[in-house]
Amino acid sequence: MKFAKNGNPLNGVFAPVHKINIVENCTKFVETRSGQPEATTAFDFTLRGAAYYRLGDYDSAIFEFNKAIVADQKFFEIYYFRAVLYLERQRLGDDGNALLDLNEAINLNPNYEVALLERAKLLTRFGRPNDNSLAL
């Protein structure tokens, strides 16, 4: 997976973009690829979630990532992507949700370095960088 300069993997997914058509184009791609009129796989939902992210519509992106997790609970990258959205959205409780998602991503893939790093930064922000009770 390639990362954008700031380390966020979602930033490079659709750059540059024409914001008006991004979700529509993503949906057309899913239809062409799968032969289905609607997204059906975790990958499909992830693409649409990334499209909404690029539009700045974090709530819709999180909704699509939620559907991706339902479609494939072992797709560890989705937990990380959703954690990134929670951290960027910055609503009450989002840091806790991000930590839960980072823990799940790491639980599914203990060598997932970007999730380990992001969790360490989040725990440091909580003022508890060595507190393993908050991890896994």
Side-chain angles (χ1 to χ4, degrees), residues 6-7 21 23-24 32-33 39 44 50 58 103 114 120 124 128 131:
N6 71 353
N21 296 323
V23 174
E24 179 182 321
T32 302
R33 187 182 68 76
D44 296 341
Y58 292 173
N103 284 340
V114 293
T124 299
R128 301 168 79 174
D131 188 348

Side-chain angles (χ1 to χ4, degrees), residues 18-98:
H18 297 284
K19 291 186 176 187
I20 297 172
N21 296 323
I22 190 169
V23 174
E24 179 182 321
N25 289 341
C26 189
T27 300
K28 286 179 184 176
F29 170 77
V30 167
E31 289 173 2
T32 302
R33 187 182 68 76
S34 68
Q36 301 287 328
E38 293 292 321
T40 57
T41 69
F43 179 76
D44 296 341
F45 294 123
T46 302
L47 283 177
R48 283 215 316 238
Y52 281 117
Y53 168 82
R54 293 291 295 153
L55 292 172
D57 186 349
Y58 292 173
D59 292 335
S60 294
I62 288 170
F63 182 73
E64 292 296 326
F65 288 161
N66 290 344
K67 291 192 287 187
I69 289 169
V70 169
D72 184 356
Q73 295 177 354
K74 301 225 182 271
F75 192 5
F76 62 90
E77 291 95 341
I78 297 302
Y79 292 97
Y80 172 73
F81 292 159
R82 193 171 66 177
V84 167
L85 287 172
Y86 283 135
L87 292 172
E88 288 194 18
R89 189 173 70 169
Q90 298 179 343
R91 286 192 187 157
L92 183 62
D94 278 351
D95 284 351
N97 289 331

